[in-house]
Amino acid sequence: MKKNINLLMVSVLLLMAGCSEFIEPSIENRSIDILAPANKLETNSYQQTFWWNPMADALFYRLQIVSPKFDSVSKMVLDTLIKTEKFVYTMDPGKYEWRVRGENGSSASNYSTRSLEIFPSSLKEQSVQLTVPSSGLYFSKPDVRYEWLKLFGAKVYRLQVDNNNFLDENNMTLNITTDNLGFLQTLSKEGTYQFRVRAENSVENSKWSTVRSLIYDVTGPERVLLNTPSNKQAVSRPVRLTWSRLADAERYEISVYQSDEQTPYSKSYPLIVTSTEHVFDAGNVGETVAWRVRAFDKAGNAGAYSEIRTFTIQ
């Protein structure tokens, strides 16, 4: 009896130890350590970087900005969840309070609160904040939507798009003004493009935004070349299927079929992988299996299928 009780206690302790790996630590009594902006900052910069030290066990952060204060809110400016410890945002002149807390799936920390006052300033001292698209994105469709945040004092916004780094402003892909906070462009040819935005009014212009780039690509990768096993080879399980790497391929789709070369071998196929090999460990002795591979690039374009090869399990 005593032996059984001891075994039960050991089992319970092991179970508790195993469960502890899945228990999310509480962050309820912690507070965020804010780095910037400084508390009670007075500035004429409309674009502010909200920055704090990371909090252990926090999966994301809730940032809120109101005007003028949380105990007398006249305007909710921002309420967002972010995963990083830094957030850039452009605001109008005015008095603000802002706060941030850490959150995870089961708890939230205390808010840390700061105040901020932004004074009106010349438009030429400011810059437009781009929102979409992010820099370096690949597009396989020609329609691209550009968006940015409102900048106080602007009457219109000038959007420039180029594929030559703005070396010749008289010969750009796009150079337009709009009073909207976005513009939809249809690209006509593949390539790498740069884009930027500035605010304008009747007397002055803002600084240009940061320059972002995008890649328009509608051409799929080349045909994949299969390596091993050779066609109709007799092989033992597990079977290592390999192919040559393509320079512009981001991932590969491998399809494995039954002997009719059309029916997927199982629900596992087709399978997406990033390597240039796949281990097939199924089937019976004497069974014939077929396979082929195609590549996808960063824009999501699919290349042509490789040849279909078969192998027989021995």
Short mmCIF file of all heavy atoms in Angstrom, two decimals, residues 255-309:
data_model
loop_
_atom_site.label_atom_id
_atom_site.label_comp_id
_atom_site.label_asym_id
_atom_site.label_seq_id
_atom_site.Cartn_x
_atom_site.Cartn_y
_atom_site.Cartn_z
N SER A 255 4.91 16.85 -55.01
CA SER A 255 3.72 16.02 -55.16
C SER A 255 4.15 14.57 -55.32
O SER A 255 5.04 14.28 -56.12
CB SER A 255 2.91 16.46 -56.38
OG SER A 255 2.44 17.78 -56.23
N VAL A 256 3.55 13.71 -54.52
CA VAL A 256 3.82 12.28 -54.61
C VAL A 256 2.50 11.59 -54.96
O VAL A 256 1.47 11.87 -54.35
CB VAL A 256 4.39 11.73 -53.28
CG1 VAL A 256 4.66 10.23 -53.39
CG2 VAL A 256 5.67 12.48 -52.91
N TYR A 257 2.56 10.71 -55.96
CA TYR A 257 1.36 10.09 -56.49
C TYR A 257 1.44 8.56 -56.38
O TYR A 257 2.53 7.98 -56.24
CB TYR A 257 1.17 10.44 -57.97
CG TYR A 257 1.13 11.92 -58.27
CD1 TYR A 257 2.27 12.58 -58.72
CD2 TYR A 257 -0.05 12.64 -58.11
CE1 TYR A 257 2.24 13.94 -59.01
CE2 TYR A 257 -0.09 14.00 -58.41
CZ TYR A 257 1.06 14.64 -58.85
OH TYR A 257 1.02 15.99 -59.13
N GLN A 258 0.29 7.97 -56.50
CA GLN A 258 0.24 6.52 -56.63
C GLN A 258 0.71 6.14 -58.04
O GLN A 258 1.05 6.99 -58.85
CB GLN A 258 -1.18 6.03 -56.34
CG GLN A 258 -1.63 6.33 -54.92
CD GLN A 258 -3.04 5.86 -54.61
OE1 GLN A 258 -3.57 4.98 -55.28
NE2 GLN A 258 -3.66 6.46 -53.60
N SER A 259 0.70 4.86 -58.36
CA SER A 259 1.31 4.38 -59.60
C SER A 259 0.65 4.93 -60.86
O SER A 259 1.25 4.93 -61.93
CB SER A 259 1.30 2.86 -59.64
OG SER A 259 -0.04 2.37 -59.52
N ASP A 260 -0.58 5.47 -60.75
CA ASP A 260 -1.24 6.04 -61.92
C ASP A 260 -0.73 7.42 -62.27
O ASP A 260 -1.12 8.02 -63.27
CB ASP A 260 -2.76 6.07 -61.73
CG ASP A 260 -3.18 6.99 -60.58
OD1 ASP A 260 -2.31 7.63 -59.96
OD2 ASP A 260 -4.40 7.03 -60.29
N GLU A 261 0.17 7.97 -61.41
CA GLU A 261 0.81 9.26 -61.62
C GLU A 261 -0.16 10.44 -61.58
O GLU A 261 0.15 11.54 -62.04
CB GLU A 261 1.62 9.28 -62.93
CG GLU A 261 2.69 8.21 -62.99
CD GLU A 261 3.52 8.26 -64.26
OE1 GLU A 261 3.31 9.21 -65.06
OE2 GLU A 261 4.36 7.37 -64.46
N GLN A 262 -1.34 10.22 -61.01
CA GLN A 262 -2.35 11.28 -60.92
C GLN A 262 -2.97 11.39 -59.53
O GLN A 262 -3.23 12.49 -59.06
CB GLN A 262 -3.46 11.04 -61.95
CG GLN A 262 -3.02 11.15 -63.39
CD GLN A 262 -4.18 10.93 -64.35
OE1 GLN A 262 -5.27 10.52 -63.96
NE2 GLN A 262 -3.96 11.21 -65.63
N THR A 263 -3.18 10.25 -58.88
CA THR A 263 -3.83 10.24 -57.57
C THR A 263 -2.82 10.55 -56.47
O THR A 263 -1.80 9.84 -56.38
CB THR A 263 -4.49 8.88 -57.30
OG1 THR A 263 -5.37 8.56 -58.37
CG2 THR A 263 -5.25 8.92 -55.99
N PRO A 264 -3.04 11.60 -55.66
CA PRO A 264 -2.11 11.88 -54.54
C PRO A 264 -1.91 10.64 -53.68
O PRO A 264 -2.87 9.93 -53.38
CB PRO A 264 -2.79 13.00 -53.78
CG PRO A 264 -3.64 13.69 -54.81
CD PRO A 264 -4.13 12.60 -55.71
N TYR A 265 -0.65 10.41 -53.29
CA TYR A 265 -0.36 9.19 -52.53
C TYR A 265 -1.09 9.19 -51.20
O TYR A 265 -1.53 8.15 -50.72
CB TYR A 265 1.15 9.07 -52.31
CG TYR A 265 1.52 7.70 -51.77
CD1 TYR A 265 1.75 6.63 -52.62
CD2 TYR A 265 1.61 7.48 -50.39
CE1 TYR A 265 2.05 5.37 -52.13
CE2 TYR A 265 1.91 6.23 -49.89
CZ TYR A 265 2.12 5.17 -50.76
OH TYR A 265 2.41 3.92 -50.27
N SER A 266 -1.22 10.35 -50.59
CA SER A 266 -1.94 10.48 -49.33
C SER A 266 -2.38 11.93 -49.18
O SER A 266 -2.08 12.78 -50.02
CB SER A 266 -1.07 10.06 -48.15
OG SER A 266 -0.03 11.01 -47.93
N LYS A 267 -3.07 12.21 -48.06
CA LYS A 267 -3.52 13.58 -47.79
C LYS A 267 -2.37 14.52 -47.48
O LYS A 267 -2.55 15.74 -47.41
CB LYS A 267 -4.52 13.57 -46.64
CG LYS A 267 -5.84 12.87 -46.96
CD LYS A 267 -6.80 12.93 -45.77
CE LYS A 267 -8.12 12.24 -46.10
NZ LYS A 267 -9.08 12.28 -44.95
N SER A 268 -1.18 13.98 -47.30
CA SER A 268 -0.01 14.81 -47.00
C SER A 268 0.49 15.57 -48.22
O SER A 268 1.30 16.50 -48.08
CB SER A 268 1.12 13.95 -46.44
OG SER A 268 0.74 13.31 -45.24
N TYR A 269 0.03 15.18 -49.39
CA TYR A 269 0.55 15.77 -50.63
C TYR A 269 -0.55 16.48 -51.40
O TYR A 269 -1.71 16.06 -51.37
CB TYR A 269 1.19 14.68 -51.49
CG TYR A 269 2.32 13.97 -50.78
CD1 TYR A 269 2.12 12.72 -50.21
CD2 TYR A 269 3.57 14.58 -50.68
CE1 TYR A 269 3.15 12.07 -49.54
CE2 TYR A 269 4.60 13.94 -50.02
CZ TYR A 269 4.39 12.69 -49.44
OH TYR A 269 5.41 12.06 -48.78
N PRO A 270 -0.16 17.59 -52.09
CA PRO A 270 1.19 18.14 -52.22
C PRO A 270 1.69 18.78 -50.92
O PRO A 270 0.89 19.26 -50.12
CB PRO A 270 1.06 19.17 -53.34
CG PRO A 270 -0.37 19.57 -53.30
CD PRO A 270 -1.14 18.36 -52.89
N LEU A 271 3.01 18.82 -50.77
CA LEU A 271 3.65 19.30 -49.54
C LEU A 271 4.59 20.46 -49.88
O LEU A 271 5.35 20.38 -50.84
CB LEU A 271 4.43 18.15 -48.90
CG LEU A 271 5.24 18.48 -47.64
CD1 LEU A 271 4.31 18.81 -46.48
CD2 LEU A 271 6.14 17.30 -47.29
N ILE A 272 4.52 21.53 -49.08
CA ILE A 272 5.40 22.69 -49.27
C ILE A 272 6.62 22.55 -48.35
O ILE A 272 6.48 22.34 -47.14
CB ILE A 272 4.67 24.00 -48.97
CG1 ILE A 272 3.48 24.18 -49.91
CG2 ILE A 272 5.62 25.19 -49.09
CD1 ILE A 272 3.86 24.32 -51.37
N VAL A 273 7.81 22.70 -48.92
CA VAL A 273 9.06 22.64 -48.16
C VAL A 273 9.97 23.77 -48.62
O VAL A 273 9.80 24.32 -49.70
CB VAL A 273 9.78 21.28 -48.34
CG1 VAL A 273 8.91 20.13 -47.84
CG2 VAL A 273 10.16 21.05 -49.80
N THR A 274 10.93 24.11 -47.78
CA THR A 274 11.91 25.13 -48.15
C THR A 274 13.26 24.53 -48.51
O THR A 274 14.11 25.22 -49.06
CB THR A 274 12.11 26.14 -47.00
OG1 THR A 274 12.49 25.43 -45.81
CG2 THR A 274 10.82 26.91 -46.73
N SER A 275 13.46 23.25 -48.21
CA SER A 275 14.71 22.58 -48.55
C SER A 275 14.60 21.97 -49.94
O SER A 275 13.58 22.08 -50.62
CB SER A 275 15.01 21.50 -47.52
OG SER A 275 14.00 20.50 -47.55
N THR A 276 15.66 21.31 -50.37
CA THR A 276 15.66 20.66 -51.69
C THR A 276 15.67 19.14 -51.54
O THR A 276 16.29 18.43 -52.34
CB THR A 276 16.87 21.12 -52.52
OG1 THR A 276 18.08 20.87 -51.76
CG2 THR A 276 16.78 22.60 -52.84
N GLU A 277 14.98 18.67 -50.52
CA GLU A 277 14.86 17.23 -50.36
C GLU A 277 13.62 16.90 -49.54
O GLU A 277 13.09 17.74 -48.81
CB GLU A 277 16.09 16.62 -49.71
CG GLU A 277 16.32 17.05 -48.27
CD GLU A 277 17.49 16.29 -47.65
OE1 GLU A 277 18.63 16.48 -48.13
OE2 GLU A 277 17.24 15.52 -46.70
N HIS A 278 13.18 15.66 -49.68
CA HIS A 278 12.03 15.16 -48.91
C HIS A 278 12.23 13.67 -48.70
O HIS A 278 12.62 12.95 -49.63
CB HIS A 278 10.73 15.43 -49.67
CG HIS A 278 9.54 14.75 -49.04
ND1 HIS A 278 9.07 15.09 -47.79
CD2 HIS A 278 8.73 13.75 -49.49
CE1 HIS A 278 8.02 14.34 -47.49
NE2 HIS A 278 7.79 13.52 -48.50
N VAL A 279 11.98 13.22 -47.48
CA VAL A 279 12.13 11.80 -47.17
C VAL A 279 10.75 11.15 -47.22
O VAL A 279 9.85 11.52 -46.46
CB VAL A 279 12.78 11.60 -45.79
CG1 VAL A 279 12.82 10.11 -45.45
CG2 VAL A 279 14.19 12.19 -45.78
N PHE A 280 10.62 10.19 -48.12
CA PHE A 280 9.36 9.44 -48.28
C PHE A 280 9.54 8.09 -47.58
O PHE A 280 10.42 7.31 -47.93
CB PHE A 280 9.06 9.24 -49.76
CG PHE A 280 7.82 8.43 -50.03
CD1 PHE A 280 6.56 9.00 -49.99
CD2 PHE A 280 7.91 7.07 -50.31
CE1 PHE A 280 5.42 8.26 -50.24
CE2 PHE A 280 6.78 6.31 -50.56
CZ PHE A 280 5.54 6.91 -50.52
N ASP A 281 8.71 7.84 -46.59
CA ASP A 281 8.84 6.59 -45.82
C ASP A 281 7.47 5.93 -45.69
O ASP A 281 6.90 5.85 -44.60
CB ASP A 281 9.45 6.88 -44.45
CG ASP A 281 9.89 5.61 -43.73
OD1 ASP A 281 9.94 4.55 -44.39
OD2 ASP A 281 10.17 5.67 -42.52
N ALA A 282 6.95 5.48 -46.80
CA ALA A 282 5.66 4.79 -46.83
C ALA A 282 5.70 3.76 -47.95
O ALA A 282 6.70 3.62 -48.66
CB ALA A 282 4.52 5.79 -47.03
N GLY A 283 4.59 3.07 -48.12
CA GLY A 283 4.50 2.12 -49.23
C GLY A 283 4.96 0.72 -48.86
O GLY A 283 5.58 0.48 -47.82
N ASN A 284 4.66 -0.21 -49.77
CA ASN A 284 4.98 -1.62 -49.57
C ASN A 284 5.99 -2.08 -50.61
O ASN A 284 6.15 -1.47 -51.67
CB ASN A 284 3.71 -2.47 -49.68
CG ASN A 284 2.66 -2.05 -48.66
OD1 ASN A 284 2.95 -1.92 -47.47
ND2 ASN A 284 1.43 -1.83 -49.13
N VAL A 285 6.66 -3.17 -50.32
CA VAL A 285 7.62 -3.74 -51.25
C VAL A 285 6.92 -4.07 -52.56
O VAL A 285 5.82 -4.63 -52.58
CB VAL A 285 8.26 -5.01 -50.65
CG1 VAL A 285 9.14 -5.69 -51.69
CG2 VAL A 285 9.08 -4.65 -49.41
N GLY A 286 7.54 -3.66 -53.66
CA GLY A 286 6.98 -3.90 -54.98
C GLY A 286 6.08 -2.79 -55.47
O GLY A 286 5.68 -2.78 -56.65
N GLU A 287 5.78 -1.82 -54.63
CA GLU A 287 4.88 -0.74 -55.02
C GLU A 287 5.63 0.32 -55.82
O GLU A 287 6.77 0.66 -55.51
CB GLU A 287 4.26 -0.11 -53.78
CG GLU A 287 3.22 0.97 -54.07
CD GLU A 287 2.58 1.51 -52.81
OE1 GLU A 287 2.96 1.09 -51.70
OE2 GLU A 287 1.68 2.38 -52.94
N THR A 288 4.97 0.85 -56.85
CA THR A 288 5.53 1.92 -57.67
C THR A 288 4.94 3.26 -57.24
O THR A 288 3.73 3.39 -57.08
CB THR A 288 5.25 1.69 -59.16
OG1 THR A 288 5.90 0.47 -59.57
CG2 THR A 288 5.77 2.85 -60.01
N VAL A 289 5.82 4.24 -57.06
CA VAL A 289 5.43 5.57 -56.58
C VAL A 289 5.95 6.61 -57.57
O VAL A 289 7.07 6.48 -58.08
CB VAL A 289 5.98 5.84 -55.17
CG1 VAL A 289 5.58 7.22 -54.69
CG2 VAL A 289 5.51 4.76 -54.20
N ALA A 290 5.15 7.65 -57.84
CA ALA A 290 5.56 8.73 -58.75
C ALA A 290 5.71 10.03 -57.97
O ALA A 290 5.07 10.23 -56.93
CB ALA A 290 4.54 8.88 -59.87
N TRP A 291 6.53 10.95 -58.48
CA TRP A 291 6.72 12.23 -57.81
C TRP A 291 7.19 13.31 -58.78
O TRP A 291 7.76 13.01 -59.83
CB TRP A 291 7.70 12.10 -56.64
CG TRP A 291 9.12 11.75 -57.03
CD1 TRP A 291 9.56 10.57 -57.57
CD2 TRP A 291 10.27 12.60 -56.91
NE1 TRP A 291 10.92 10.62 -57.79
CE2 TRP A 291 11.38 11.85 -57.39
CE3 TRP A 291 10.47 13.88 -56.44
CZ2 TRP A 291 12.67 12.36 -57.41
CZ3 TRP A 291 11.76 14.40 -56.47
CH2 TRP A 291 12.84 13.64 -56.94
N ARG A 292 6.94 14.55 -58.42
CA ARG A 292 7.42 15.70 -59.18
C ARG A 292 7.47 16.91 -58.25
O ARG A 292 6.87 16.91 -57.17
CB ARG A 292 6.53 15.98 -60.40
CG ARG A 292 5.11 16.41 -60.06
CD ARG A 292 4.32 16.72 -61.33
NE ARG A 292 2.95 17.13 -61.02
CZ ARG A 292 2.07 17.54 -61.94
NH1 ARG A 292 2.42 17.60 -63.22
NH2 ARG A 292 0.85 17.91 -61.59
N VAL A 293 8.15 17.98 -58.70
CA VAL A 293 8.38 19.16 -57.86
C VAL A 293 8.23 20.42 -58.72
O VAL A 293 8.58 20.41 -59.90
CB VAL A 293 9.79 19.13 -57.22
CG1 VAL A 293 10.04 20.39 -56.38
CG2 VAL A 293 9.97 17.88 -56.37
N ARG A 294 7.71 21.47 -58.13
CA ARG A 294 7.76 22.79 -58.75
C ARG A 294 8.14 23.82 -57.70
O ARG A 294 7.99 23.60 -56.50
CB ARG A 294 6.43 23.16 -59.41
CG ARG A 294 5.27 23.35 -58.46
CD ARG A 294 4.04 23.84 -59.22
NE ARG A 294 2.86 23.92 -58.35
CZ ARG A 294 1.69 24.43 -58.75
NH1 ARG A 294 1.55 24.89 -59.99
NH2 ARG A 294 0.67 24.47 -57.91
N ALA A 295 8.64 24.96 -58.17
CA ALA A 295 9.13 26.01 -57.27
C ALA A 295 8.21 27.21 -57.27
O ALA A 295 7.50 27.48 -58.24
CB ALA A 295 10.54 26.43 -57.69
N PHE A 296 8.23 27.96 -56.15
CA PHE A 296 7.53 29.23 -56.02
C PHE A 296 8.53 30.31 -55.63
O PHE A 296 9.43 30.07 -54.80
CB PHE A 296 6.44 29.15 -54.94
CG PHE A 296 5.25 28.32 -55.33
CD1 PHE A 296 5.25 26.94 -55.18
CD2 PHE A 296 4.11 28.93 -55.85
CE1 PHE A 296 4.15 26.18 -55.54
CE2 PHE A 296 3.00 28.17 -56.21
CZ PHE A 296 3.02 26.79 -56.05
N ASP A 297 8.38 31.50 -56.20
CA ASP A 297 9.27 32.59 -55.83
C ASP A 297 8.66 33.45 -54.72
O ASP A 297 7.57 33.15 -54.22
CB ASP A 297 9.66 33.44 -57.05
CG ASP A 297 8.46 34.12 -57.71
OD1 ASP A 297 7.41 34.26 -57.05
OD2 ASP A 297 8.58 34.51 -58.88
N LYS A 298 9.34 34.54 -54.34
CA LYS A 298 8.89 35.37 -53.23
C LYS A 298 7.58 36.08 -53.52
O LYS A 298 6.86 36.47 -52.60
CB LYS A 298 9.98 36.39 -52.86
CG LYS A 298 11.21 35.76 -52.24
CD LYS A 298 12.23 36.82 -51.88
CE LYS A 298 13.45 36.19 -51.23
NZ LYS A 298 14.48 37.21 -50.87
N ALA A 299 7.28 36.27 -54.79
CA ALA A 299 6.02 36.92 -55.16
C ALA A 299 4.86 35.94 -55.22
O ALA A 299 3.72 36.35 -55.41
CB ALA A 299 6.17 37.61 -56.52
N GLY A 300 5.16 34.65 -55.03
CA GLY A 300 4.12 33.63 -55.06
C GLY A 300 3.89 33.04 -56.43
O GLY A 300 2.96 32.25 -56.62
N ASN A 301 4.74 33.41 -57.40
CA ASN A 301 4.61 32.84 -58.74
C ASN A 301 5.08 31.39 -58.76
O ASN A 301 6.13 31.06 -58.20
CB ASN A 301 5.43 33.65 -59.75
CG ASN A 301 4.98 35.09 -59.84
OD1 ASN A 301 3.82 35.36 -60.09
ND2 ASN A 301 5.90 36.02 -59.62
N ALA A 302 4.32 30.53 -59.43
CA ALA A 302 4.67 29.11 -59.54
C ALA A 302 5.45 28.86 -60.82
O ALA A 302 5.10 29.37 -61.89
CB ALA A 302 3.42 28.25 -59.51
N GLY A 303 6.50 28.06 -60.70
CA GLY A 303 7.25 27.66 -61.88
C GLY A 303 6.64 26.41 -62.51
O GLY A 303 5.67 25.84 -62.00
N ALA A 304 7.22 25.99 -63.61
CA ALA A 304 6.74 24.78 -64.28
C ALA A 304 7.10 23.54 -63.46
O ALA A 304 8.11 23.51 -62.75
CB ALA A 304 7.37 24.69 -65.67
N TYR A 305 6.27 22.51 -63.56
CA TYR A 305 6.56 21.26 -62.89
C TYR A 305 7.79 20.60 -63.49
O TYR A 305 8.06 20.72 -64.71
CB TYR A 305 5.39 20.29 -63.01
CG TYR A 305 4.27 20.53 -62.02
CD1 TYR A 305 3.05 21.05 -62.45
CD2 TYR A 305 4.41 20.21 -60.68
CE1 TYR A 305 2.00 21.26 -61.55
CE2 TYR A 305 3.37 20.41 -59.78
CZ TYR A 305 2.18 20.94 -60.22
OH TYR A 305 1.15 21.14 -59.33
N SER A 306 8.52 19.90 -62.66
CA SER A 306 9.59 19.04 -63.15
C SER A 306 8.99 17.87 -63.93
O SER A 306 7.76 17.71 -63.98
CB SER A 306 10.40 18.51 -61.98
OG SER A 306 9.60 17.58 -61.23
N GLU A 307 9.83 17.06 -64.50
CA GLU A 307 9.36 15.80 -65.06
C GLU A 307 8.77 14.93 -63.95
O GLU A 307 9.04 15.15 -62.76
CB GLU A 307 10.53 15.05 -65.69
CG GLU A 307 11.61 14.66 -64.64
CD GLU A 307 12.71 13.79 -65.20
OE1 GLU A 307 12.38 12.83 -65.94
OE2 GLU A 307 13.89 14.06 -64.89
N ILE A 308 7.96 13.97 -64.31
CA ILE A 308 7.48 13.00 -63.34
C ILE A 308 8.41 11.80 -63.37
O ILE A 308 8.70 11.25 -64.44
CB ILE A 308 6.04 12.55 -63.65
CG1 ILE A 308 5.05 13.66 -63.31
CG2 ILE A 308 5.68 11.30 -62.83
CD1 ILE A 308 3.60 13.27 -63.43
N ARG A 309 8.90 11.43 -62.20
CA ARG A 309 9.70 10.21 -62.07
C ARG A 309 8.98 9.20 -61.22
O ARG A 309 8.12 9.56 -60.40
CB ARG A 309 11.06 10.53 -61.43
CG ARG A 309 12.04 11.26 -62.34
CD ARG A 309 13.41 11.35 -61.68
NE ARG A 309 14.36 12.07 -62.51
CZ ARG A 309 15.63 12.28 -62.17
NH1 ARG A 309 16.09 11.82 -60.99
NH2 ARG A 309 16.44 12.94 -62.97
#
